[in-house]
Every structure is written in structure tokens, then in C-alpha cells.
Amino acid sequence: MAEHRTMQRAALLDAARSLLSEGGTEALTFPALAERTGLARSSVYEYFRSRAAVVEELCAVDFPVWAAEIEAAMQAAETPEAKIEAYVRSQLALVGDRRHRAVVAISASELDAGAREKIRAAHGGLVAMIVEALAALGHDQPRLAATLLQGIVDAAVRRIELGAAEDPTAITDVAVAMAMRGVRG
């Protein structure tokens, strides 16, 4: 029975990812989750008490995977500059990934404090890695520089998500160029 519940929970999370990546947070409703999974709406409530609870669980499941991919790209880089470039490029490369699209939709939405805290904690781990690289480059305020660097990444993510006129590759290249010029001071 426990295994069946685990499978249904996973199916609900997968349906939530699809809904978020297709239509953002407005699309994530319990009737839509019920329809996607073939469960009764009342059954959806047995797994999650609210939409925020679905989002919180997605954060707990997807953010670590997403962060690990970025971390792996950074660890493969040899120099602090290369680590910073990997940090920017890997985040922007993940925009096309369904899990990341869900993560972006989640980040952009109105969340309860618990879900926001989980997102901040997940981002905190990535920011700690970038702070280290910036400190190695000799930045006297590496934490502030890391926050501003993430601002460039977030703006590029939004631009790609909007399906802006520019090609995602061009957006990525410009974001990387700005980031690299910026971190060199």
C-alpha cells in the first residue's frame, strides 16, 4: 500500500511539473492535477493540503537535482573564471529542462513562507559556491558580487522564458559576457 501511495505521489508531482511548465502557477490547480493523474479530486487532497504544499514538495525534490547539475558543471571547471562562467551557462542551459521550467514558475509565483524559505536555502548553496570563486578572484565583497551576478542570470532566465526576440544562445552569450566583465571588476 505504501508503495502505491509513493507512486501516486510521484505521478501528482510529475503532473504538477507539466502544469507549471505549460501554464505557470495559475495552471496548477487540484482539478487539473486530478484530471492529469486520473485521481478523484478528493484523493489529491489526501496527498497535499494545498497548492503551496505541492509547490513546497516540488522544491524539496527538484531544487537539489537542479543545484547538483550546476554544482557539477562548476566543479569540472579549473579556474575561478571558468567556475563563474559554468555557473551562468549551466543555469541558462537548464531553462529548457522541464524541471527547471517548473522551478522558474515556482520562483516567480506567490508562495507561502515555507516554500520561499526552501527556495532561498537551495539558492543559498549555489551562491556559497559562487562566493568562493569570487573571493578567489580577489573581490572584497564577494557576497554582494554573487547576489548581483545572480541578478544577471535571473534577468536572462526571464528573457529566455518570455520567448524574447533573441535566440536563447544569444541571450546566454550576452549574459556570460556581462557577468565575466563584471566579475573581473
Side-chain angles (χ1 to χ4, degrees):
M1 184 64 195
E3 193 177 314
H4 179 67
R5 284 190 67 79
T6 305
M7 280 171 59
Q8 286 196 324
R9 190 174 203 91
L12 283 164
L13 288 176
D14 209 45
R17 274 183 206 101
S18 295
L19 290 164
L20 281 167
S21 71
E22 289 160 22
T25 43
E26 303 78 54
L28 180 61
T29 64
F30 277 33
L33 281 172
E35 190 181 319
R36 284 280 165 104
T37 54
L39 292 170
R41 202 181 315 180
S42 58
S43 298
V44 177
Y45 282 100
E46 287 175 33
Y47 292 91
F48 298 104
R49 69 191 181 283
S50 65
R51 218 164 64 146
V54 177
V55 167
E56 218 171 304
E57 182 136 345
L58 270 179
C59 291
V61 172
D62 290 358
F63 264 104
V65 175
W66 178 76
E69 289 177 36
I70 296 164
E71 193 170 344
M74 286 179 72
Q75 283 172 343
E78 302 286 317
T79 64
E81 283 98 341
K83 284 184 189 309
I84 291 163
E85 182 168 346
Y87 175 79
V88 175
R89 281 196 188 280
S90 57
Q91 284 191 70
L92 297 178
L94 287 169
V95 176
D97 182 305
R98 203 165 61 93
R99 278 165 319 163
H100 183 68
R101 282 209 302 276
V103 161
V104 170
I106 288 166
S107 301
S109 69
E110 292 306 306
L111 299 177
D112 67 9
R116 271 199 308 273
E117 201 40 61
K118 283 198 170 81
I119 289 173
R120 261 199 296 280
H123 268 288
L126 286 177
V127 170
M129 288 189 299
I130 211 67
V131 166
E132 200 175 297
L134 288 162
L137 283 177
H139 267 272
D140 54 346
Q141 291 194 28
R143 191 160 290 287
L144 172 60
T147 303
L148 297 174
L149 175 65
Q150 186 60 46
I152 292 173
V153 174
D154 293 343
V157 165
R158 277 193 301 277
R159 192 93 188 142
I160 293 168
E161 283 286 315
L162 286 171
E166 309 88 4
D167 178 64
T169 308
I171 295 170
T172 299
D173 290 344
V174 170
V176 167
M178 285 188 73
M180 298 318 293
R181 280 198 296 274
V183 298
R184 287 188 193 108

